């Protein structure tokens, strides 16, 4: 008769993967979960930026598209016990952390500079502090997404527009900043957990062992009264098939 090696196969499954090692099971589950959450958040944050700013950075859309493939990369790397895919997952998230940090810092700097210019640098002043923009600079500052004036506007008109819209502009910057910080945290976790999974796969650990799901042993009626399999545990079977 045939008797399954594992009577509790469901307990070893994570997203359909059969993982005997409990530590690897938890780690793989974390990596796949964080990849899905990160990918979804990147898409959502891109939509937030589009709705708030009216446009996206030239590179935002293709970058979001690349990170949209991360769940597949994490899942395939674990399923195939593939070091290259898990390493790619880790590296992409590391690059994403750097990219998100750059955006967060840029937004913070621009927000601070804009607030300072509006508070301390009205172009109607005869003597301006050294850090203030010149009138010529003011006359170029109101052709952005946040503040648009018809051609030929004066420095005073631009300042007045920015002054009246400052709260809304800073709210847009804040939304972008928060979205970026959340992205940094998610991608940071994905990078750390992905690196740990990569190290395990690189060291030869078998993450997904489909043999455990379908393996069966032919035994005689006499054997059925004693030991049902030649392996003492599922881990022994995993090590046997990985050799």
């Amino acid at each position: 008769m045939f008797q399954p090696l594992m009577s509790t196969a469901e307990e070893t499954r994570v997203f359909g993967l059969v993982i005997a090692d409990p530590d690897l099971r938890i780690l793989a589950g974390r990596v796949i979960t964080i990849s899905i959450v990160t990918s979804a958040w990147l898409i959502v944050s891109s939509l937030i930026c589009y709705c708030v700013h009216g446009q996206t950075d030239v590179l935002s859309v293709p970058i979001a598209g690349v990170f949209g493939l991360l769940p597949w990369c994490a899942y395939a790397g674990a399923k195939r016990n593939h070091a290259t895919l898990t390493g790619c997952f880790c590296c992409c998230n590391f690059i994403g952390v750097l990219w998100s940090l750059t955006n967060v810092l840029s937004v913070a700097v621009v927000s601070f500079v804009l607030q300072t210019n509006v508070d301390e640098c009205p172009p109607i002043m005869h003597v301006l502090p050294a850090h203030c923009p010149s009138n010529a600079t003011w006359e170029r500052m109101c052709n952005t997404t946040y503040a648009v004036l018809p051609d030929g506007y004066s420095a005073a008109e631009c300042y007045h527009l920015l002054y009246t819209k400052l709260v809304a502009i800073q709210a847009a910057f804040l939304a972008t900043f928060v979205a970026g910080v959340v992205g940094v945290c998610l991608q940071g976790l994905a990078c750390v957990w992905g690196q740990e999974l990569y190290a395990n796969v690189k060291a030869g650990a078998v993450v997904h062992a489909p043999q455990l799901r379908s393996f069966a042993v032919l035994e005689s009626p006499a054997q059925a009264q004693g030991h049902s399999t030649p392996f003492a545990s599922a881990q022994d079977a995993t090590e046997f098939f990985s050799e």
Side-chain angles (χ1 to χ4, degrees):
M1 61 178 293
F2 284 95
Q3 182 167 338
L5 174 64
M6 298 181 64
S7 60
T8 58
E10 292 297 329
E11 297 179 2
T12 67
R13 295 187 185 183
V14 176
F15 292 98
L17 303 179
V18 181
I19 307 174
D21 187 282
D23 293 332
L24 281 179
R25 192 183 314 142
I26 294 173
L27 179 59
R30 286 176 176 175
V31 169
I32 296 173
T33 300
I34 197 68
S35 69
I36 295 172
V37 173
T38 301
S39 179
W41 177 250
L42 287 171
I43 294 173
V44 169
S45 61
S46 295
L47 292 175
I48 291 175
C49 290
Y50 181 82
C51 294
V52 170
H53 303 302
Q55 64 180 10
T56 56
D57 187 272
V58 176
L59 296 177
S60 295
V61 174
I63 287 177
V66 170
F67 282 106
L69 299 175
L70 286 181
W72 173 86
C73 192
Y75 183 83
K79 184 176 183 178
R80 301 177 185 178
N81 301 301
H82 203 294
T84 301
L85 287 175
T86 53
C88 180
F89 173 81
C90 179
C91 291
C92 285
N93 278 288
F94 179 73
I95 294 172
V97 169
L98 297 180
W99 178 263
S100 297
L101 277 176
T102 301
N103 287 338
V104 166
L105 293 176
S106 298
V107 167
V109 170
V110 171
S111 176
F112 174 78
V113 170
L114 179 61
Q115 184 72 52
T116 301
N117 288 344
V118 171
D119 290 342
E120 303 177 6
C121 306
I124 57 175
M125 292 178 60
H126 296 292
V127 179
L128 293 174
H131 65 270
C132 289
S134 64
N135 283 353
T137 302
W138 277 111
E139 292 170 359
R140 295 193 301 268
M141 291 175 62
C142 285
N143 57 358
T144 64
T145 303
Y146 313 106
V148 180
L149 285 174
D151 293 339
Y153 60 84
S154 66
E157 289 173 332
C158 180
Y159 173 83
H160 178 72
L161 179 63
L162 290 174
Y163 179 83
T164 56
K165 297 184 65 175
L166 184 61
V167 173
I169 294 172
Q170 293 291 43
F173 283 150
L174 179 61
T176 305
F177 181 85
V178 171
V181 170
V182 173
V184 169
C185 294
L186 290 175
Q187 290 170 308
L189 279 176
C191 182
V192 172
W193 290 340
Q195 194 280 331
E196 188 176 350
L197 182 63
Y198 166 77
N200 278 276
V201 174
K202 188 73 172 178
V206 177
V207 180
H208 176 53
Q211 301 94 334
L212 298 180
R213 180 171 52 191
S214 58
F215 180 77
V217 177
L218 180 63
E219 59 180 14
S220 65
Q223 290 175 317
Q225 303 299 323
H227 298 289
S228 59
T229 76
F231 300 108
S233 67
Q235 183 64 34
D236 292 341
T238 303
E239 295 174 356
F240 174 81
F241 283 109
S242 64
E243 292 179 353

